Structures are given as C-alpha cells and as structure tokens.
Amino acid sequence: MAPPVLEIDNLTMRFGGLTAIDRLSFNVERGAIHGLIGPNGAGKTTTFNVVSGFYKPTGGEVRLRGETISGLRMYEVARRGVVRTFQHSTLFAELSVLENALIGTHMSFPPNIFAAMAGVDKANRRAARARAEEALDFFGLSGLAEELAGDLPHGHQRALGMAVALAARPDVVLLDEPFTGMNPEETGRMMELMVKLRNTGVTILLVEHDMHAIMGLCDRITCMSFGRLLAEGSPQEIRHHPDVIEAYLGGARHVA
Amino acid sequence: MHSRVTNLAAFLGFGAILLALPHTLSFSQQEILVFLTINVLVVASYRLLTLTGEWSLGHVVIMGVGAYASALLSKRLGIYVPASMLLGAVTAAMVALALSFPLFRMKGFYFLIGSFAAGEIIRLLWKRFREPFGGPKGIKKIDPMPDFDIGIYAFDFFEPISYYYFALAVVGVSLWVMWRIERSPVGLTFHAVHWQDKLAEASGVNVRAYRTLAFVLASGFAGLSGALLAHYIGTINPNSFDVEQMVFVLTWTIVGGTATFYGPILGCVVLTILNEIVLREAGFEQMRPLIYGLILILSVLFMPKGLESLVRGALSWRNAGKKKVGETEATE
Ligand SMILES: Nc1ncnc2c1ncn2[C@@H]1O[C@H](COP(=O)(O)OP(=O)(O)OP(=O)(O)O)[C@@H](O)[C@H]1O
Ligand SMILES: [Mg+2]
C-alpha cells in the first residue's frame, strides 16, 4: 500500500490555557477524500491552521510525504503542494473573480518584475490566465469572471474559494466547510465536482457539518471532540460509532 | 484599433501641452512647476508603497536619502550628476531594504509609527554627523546638472525651463515603469497582499517579500525624486525632509485618493495649483500647513474616496448617458 501523503502525528496546539488540539494523530491516504468531523469547537479549523502553517504547533508534527512541514510558513507549505480554503469566505473581495483565480496560479506562474517591465512575460501571463479560466470553468463560474468577488452570493463565494485553491493544482487540498451557504442542489453539484477532482489524483481533506455530504463523499472519516481523536473509520463505522453519536448528541447536532 | 489611435492622439496632445506649458508661465511659476513635477514622482512612488496596504511616515526621509547620496557622490567623488542621481535612487532603495527587516515585523499602525521613528533616526544621523552630512546646515553648493545639447534642444540648467524638461523626462519614464509594474502580475499580487494577506499566503505568495519589494521599489523612486530636488535647489539640510513635508505628501495622496494610479497625482497637482494661485495671491502662504490640515480633514469627511472618485463619477455618468441612448435600461 502507498504510504500516507499526510501524517498528523501526536499534534498538540495550546492557546494559553486552552488546549485546542490534544495529541491528535491520523493519516490521510493519497488520493482519498478524507473527512474531519466533530462538534463545534472540536478543533477542526485549528487542525487546518496548523497543517497549513498558519500556526506553529505546540507539540507533535505534521509530515507531508514523510517530510516534516509543521513549523514552515504558510506559503512554504503551499509551495509543497498543500493548499487550503478558509471557513469564513476569505476572498479578495475588491478584485474580480478572474483576478482571484489568477492569484491562485501564483505558484505555477510566478510573476517576474523584470520580465513584466520588459514586456517579455506574455506567454506566462497567457498560461496563467488559461489556468485561472479553467479553474473557474470547473466550478461553473466562467460567466462571472468580471464580477467583483465581494458582490457574489455566498454559495458562489465558497465555490470561488475552492477555484482559487485549485488553480494552484495542489496535491492536497484542505477544504473548511465548503458547502455552507449552498442549497441542497448546489451541494449536490459540488459533491460531484469533489469526486471528479479526486479522480484527477488530488487528495482532499474535508471539514464539513453537512453529514449527508460527508457520508456520501468520504472514503475515510476522522472524528474529533475537544481536540482529541474520538474515532476513525469508514463512513459506515463512523455513522454507528457510539462515541460519535454521543459526542454529537451532547453537542446538539445530529448525525444524519 | 480606433481606440489605439485616439489614445495615441490624446497622449501626444497631452505631451504637447506639458512641453508648451512653461512658456505660458512666469519665471517663479516655472520654478514651482519644477517642484510640482518632482512632487508628482514623490506621490506616485508613495502610492506604490501603499499598494500592499502599508502607510509609511518615512517616505520623505527616504527621498532625502536619495538627495543626500546623490549630492555627496557628485560633490565628493565627482560622479557625473545624472549617474549620481541613479546611484542616489539605488542608495535609497538599499536603505529601505535594510529598514524592511525591523519594519516588516510590524503591520498597520505599528508600521506607521516604526517608519516615523526610522525616519527620525536617519534625520538625526544627518544632523549629528557633520562629516559627511554637513550637520544641521546640510550640504550647500550641490553640483548642478551639467548642461548638454541633444541637437533639437540645448539644456541650460540655470533656466528652470530646462530643468523642467529634464525632470519631466525622468518623472515620465518613472511613472511609465510604475504603471507597468502595477498592471503586471506583480501589481496584482501587491493588491492581493493588501486586501487579504492570509489568502495570498495560502496561495503561495511570500507576503513579506512582496511587501518588501513594494517598499524598496517605492523608496528607489522616492530617492530619485530627492536627487532631482537636490541638484535643482543646490542646498539640502535635514529640515528639507521633515515631517511637515511628509504631511504634504500625505495630504496630496489622501485628497487625491489611492484607488487609482492617477489619484495622488491629481491631488498633488490640484492642491499645488490651489496653493500657488489662491493662497499665495491672497497672502495666506504662511498658513499653508494649517489650511492643508483643514483640507485633509474636510476631504476625509466629505470625500473619503478622494478627488479620483469625482473623476470616476463623472466618467461613469458619461458612460451611463451613452448607454441610455442605445438601450433604455435604467442603470441602478
Ligand atoms: N487563535 C485562537 N486563540 C485562542 N483560542 C482559539 C484560537 N483559535 C481557536 N481557538 C479555540 O480553539 C477551539 C477549537 O476551535 P476551532 O475553530 O478549531 O473549532 P472547529 O472544530 O473548527 O469548530 P467549528 O465547527 O465551529 O468551526 C475553540 O475553543 C476555539 O475557541
Ligand atoms: Mg471551524
């Protein structure tokens, strides 16, 4: 079996007295859609923040293809192929939809100031634009390319956030509640896109409260509660796991 | 194709006006025109710095670094003046690069204060060290631009009009370079860093490096404007680059607006004309800082997006008018 692409090893993150992640360990297999679930405040977003390099962990480490990446800066993690989206729509609201996607192509087509001044970066700009348009097209946003990102309805903003991430052609993408603000029909379409994406070889780590989406999409699910690992297994196993049911009932959320 | 021709015509027409302009002015007005041309470069470079979202209070001091460097290099080492100006720009950029290490540990308000402190330290060094900076009295008898002849025009730098043409060419090229940078993917990345540095960094942008790049580039152009100034007025001292000058730059920039390339330039031109025609004629010259402060406050209160918003309003109003002729569709 191929080694896991991402290893979360004994990870701990403390904020002052609060332990947001407590010795958490799990592996993400290459090419999987891996769900990370848990009640509100369980530490899912914090886990993303540590994996993506936004925080340095208090303890433990994160490995990508065996290489330690915890402690690297966020752009350094991104350059190794791990790109994330944010829980609260985080976009360049003042820029156009296309410009947002263009920033996503930054790593593949790094701007060069001298080439830009001399006007010899035309091919690079064209390729970046083609890549950005492709990403928008994938999420059905082509028609909105010239709109300001901040003017989009919420569901489209979530989709654009993913388009920006995927314009970078990451190996691993971390999606933090990508389906919030989408109606069931939009969610259904997004789920199809996620499968399509996985089939192109991208590994997806997914945080989502929509249990229907999680159960329908994931190959494997890790459930955490109060920063700790609660259970891990296939959707079937998680759905019927007594601790998971307990945690969610205690947290007043339903497992569908 | 057609718009290209109109653009070219507009550009040539505008250039002709700029070339003819000094001939309609008095000697003292010509001198003001030279300062205005230099100040246009100062505000345009200041806007380049603000593209990544950081506002510095040290920009005028960095301009002074270029002025001091160019003055000293030409005076002490006998370096040919136009070359010393370029070296002055490079020196300002290098000083900015060195300052970026402590300064870019800070953001927003702290960066503002830090940049002010850094500027004051540099000014203190100028005052403290008579050798080579000349102490509080500064540097006098700075070498003028050497006269030269380009065939169609003989530059005689005792005439402000000649220096105006020279400055116009330098500033024109500088603006063109800055414009190209802003319209390039580098410029887009500057905007991204400004509006949402978290997402930019998650997209692989080295945010700190881009902040530094904008700061260093802007400082280079500020240094160039300082060098232009030094070799025109012939004498500089630490007070030529004090906080009062910085307030003028801030006022021009804010009154003009920073959303567009031309905003701060517009602010600089309009306020300079206002200053020279209205205030000087009316004998209010002494009250310039006071009146500038007032204008700054009024414009922040009543025109928060700057003069450029008026221009954009007028343009979109015109375009909307055009549209209505074609399709009877209500805009908004
Ligand atoms: N920067 C921070 N400083 C202090 N506490 C934090 C910080 N970030 C997160 N926390 C705390 O860590 C805990 C876990 O938060 P986190 O956002 O990771 O939860 P989550 O699982 O993503 O929840 P949700 O489902 O509501 O998004 C919470 O108690 C939160 O208040
Ligand atoms: Mg969260």
Side-chain angles (χ1 to χ4, degrees):
Chain A
M1 213 169 109
V5 61
L6 201 61
E7 296 165 83
I8 315 289
D9 184 3
N10 215 12
L11 202 64
T12 299
M13 183 77 219
R14 269 191 286 274
F15 299 107
L18 181 117
T19 305
I21 311 177
D22 193 2
R23 286 164 290 154
L24 178 71
S25 297
F26 67 93
N27 293 340
V28 179
E29 299 299 329
R30 186 183 303 275
I33 299 184
H34 192 119
L36 181 61
I37 63 170
N40 290 106
K44 305 178 296 292
T45 298
T46 306
T47 303
F48 271 21
N49 282 339
V50 174
V51 172
S52 66
F54 191 59
Y55 296 142
K56 285 190 191 10
T58 318
E61 63 175 25
V62 179
R63 286 186 296 274
L64 176 72
R65 297 180 216 100
E67 180 204 7
T68 303
I69 57 166
S70 40
L72 293 182
R73 306 279 305 276
M74 195 149 66
Y75 76 88
E76 293 170 320
V77 173
R79 287 177 188 189
R80 282 165 175 75
V82 181
V83 171
R84 68 173 297 183
T85 65
F86 292 86
Q87 177 170 359
H88 303 287
S89 283
T90 300
L91 293 168
F92 307 108
E94 293 80 359
L95 301 182
S96 76
V97 167
L98 178 64
E99 286 170 329
N100 272 266
L102 278 172
I103 297 297
T105 70
H106 181 89
M107 291 186 284
S108 314
F109 306 99
N112 178 320
I113 190 162
F114 299 108
M117 277 193 277
V120 295
D121 60 348
K122 297 248 162 56
N124 204 45
R125 287 193 208 193
R126 251 198 307 272
R129 197 185 157 106
R131 170 79 70 85
E133 283 169 347
E134 185 189 324
L136 293 181
D137 200 37
F138 187 81
F139 287 98
L141 295 168
S142 299
L144 302 169
E146 300 307 321
E147 303 281 318
L148 283 189
D151 293 344
L152 296 183
H154 197 76
H156 282 146
Q157 292 198 356
R158 304 301 302 168
L160 179 55
M162 285 186 268
V164 173
L166 292 176
R169 294 263 172 93
D171 300 330
V172 181
V173 58
L174 316 177
L175 303 176
D176 200 347
E177 304 197 16
F179 306 143
T180 43
M182 292 189 183
N183 60 37
E185 191 195 330
E186 287 174 316
T187 305
R189 224 173 318 135
M190 280 303 147
M191 286 171 65
E192 282 169 31
L193 292 182
M194 292 300 111
V195 172
K196 214 166 131 187
L197 197 63
R198 187 259 315 268
N199 292 343
T200 66
V202 180
T203 306
I204 302 174
L205 181 57
L206 178 67
V207 166
E208 185 50 63
H209 282 300
D210 182 337
M211 282 305 147
H212 173 70
I214 282 281
M215 295 297 165
L217 275 176
C218 294
D219 304 303
R220 209 166 171 77
I221 297 175
T222 300
C223 179
M224 61 191 295
S225 177
F226 295 110
R228 299 217 181 108
L229 179 77
L230 198 61
E232 195 183 314
S234 67
Q236 284 313 316
E237 289 163 345
I238 291 295
R239 193 196 295 268
H240 298 113
H241 200 291
D243 292 349
V244 175
I245 295 169
E246 165 75 26
Y248 270 86
L249 288 180
R253 267 187 188 265
H254 304 284
V255 180
Chain B
M1 196 55 205
H2 178 71
S3 83
R4 248 197 144 132
V5 174
T6 16
N7 278 350
L8 186 67
F11 180 76
L12 289 178
F14 188 59
I17 291 174
L18 288 180
L19 289 180
L21 185 61
H23 296 284
T24 66
L25 300 175
S26 70
F27 185 85
S28 67
Q29 285 171 331
Q30 287 175 349
E31 293 208 296
I32 291 159
L33 187 63
V34 174
F35 291 125
L36 174 59
T37 308
I38 294 170
N39 285 336
V40 162
L41 182 54
V42 180
V43 289
S45 68
Y46 192 59
R47 174 164 182 280
L48 177 58
L49 166 63
T50 66
L51 280 189
T52 58
E54 299 301 347
W55 289 64
S56 156
L57 289 179
H59 201 63
V60 165
V61 178
I62 294 287
M63 173 189 178
V65 170
Y68 268 86
S70 183
L72 287 174
L73 287 171
S74 57
K75 210 173 152 90
R76 297 292 178 87
L77 304 181
I79 291 177
Y80 185 59
V81 169
S84 76
M85 286 182 174
L86 280 179
L87 290 174
V90 171
T91 309
M94 289 300 132
V95 168
L97 183 62
L99 287 178
S100 75
F101 290 99
L103 285 182
F104 283 116
R105 297 175 153 268
M106 303 176 251
K107 266 170 79 171
F109 180 70
Y110 297 98
F111 177 83
L112 197 75
I113 299 303
S115 65
F116 177 70
E120 287 307 294
I121 290 171
I122 291 175
R123 281 188 350 106
L124 215 62
L125 293 176
W126 291 338
K127 278 189 191 153
R128 175 74 185 68
F129 291 101
R130 218 166 268 280
E131 192 53 44
F133 302 124
K137 291 217 177 77
I139 305 172
K140 297 207 171 95
K141 298 211 188 75
I142 298 169
D143 304 28
M145 262 298 287
D147 296 344
F148 61 88
D149 197 331
I150 55 167
I152 46 167
Y153 186 83
F155 284 87
D156 168 5
F157 288 105
F158 273 118
E159 296 289 333
I161 199 163
S162 274
Y163 206 85
Y164 165 72
Y165 286 146
F166 173 67
L168 192 64
V170 173
V171 172
V173 169
S174 302
L175 292 185
W176 181 77
V177 170
M178 282 191 260
W179 169 255
R180 281 188 70 98
I181 291 173
E182 186 176 345
R183 301 298 299 253
S184 78
V186 177
L188 180 64
T189 312
F190 284 154
H191 285 289
V193 167
H194 178 184
W195 294 119
Q196 192 51 262
D197 56 352
K198 248 178 17 177
L199 180 57
E201 186 154 1
S203 306
V205 176
N206 184 345
V207 167
R208 170 87 173 260
Y210 271 84
R211 285 216 166 98
T212 304
L213 179 64
F215 185 52
V216 168
L217 283 172
S219 299
F221 286 112
L224 187 60
S225 64
L228 280 175
L229 182 73
H231 295 280
Y232 181 62
I233 52 181
T235 160
I236 52 172
N237 62 60
N239 287 338
S240 317
F241 307 101
D242 64 3
V243 72
E244 191 179 319
Q245 298 303 315
M246 189 64 228
V247 169
F248 291 147
V249 172
L250 275 176
T251 311
W252 292 326
T253 308
I254 292 170
V255 169
T258 50
T260 60
F261 189 82
Y262 62 80
I265 299 175
L266 194 65
C268 178
V269 172
V270 168
L271 285 187
T272 303
I273 292 173
L274 185 82
N275 182 57
E276 299 308 333
I277 294 179
V278 182
L279 298 188
R280 199 181 288 266
E281 295 302 313
F284 283 151
E285 178 63 0
Q286 283 352 308
M287 290 162 70
R288 184 158 100 128
L290 184 78
I291 290 171
Y292 263 45
L294 203 64
I295 290 175
L296 184 59
I297 292 169
L298 288 177
S299 86
V300 167
L301 284 178
F302 298 110
M303 200 175 51
K305 295 203 167 144
L307 285 170
E308 68 190 6
S309 63
L310 300 184
V311 176
R312 280 200 284 185
L315 284 179
S316 71
W317 182 76
R318 211 185 69 182
N319 288 343
K322 269 187 197 160
K323 213 188 243 169
K324 272 197 191 123
V325 178
E327 33 175 321
T328 40
E329 181 190 71
T331 41
E332 203 162 347

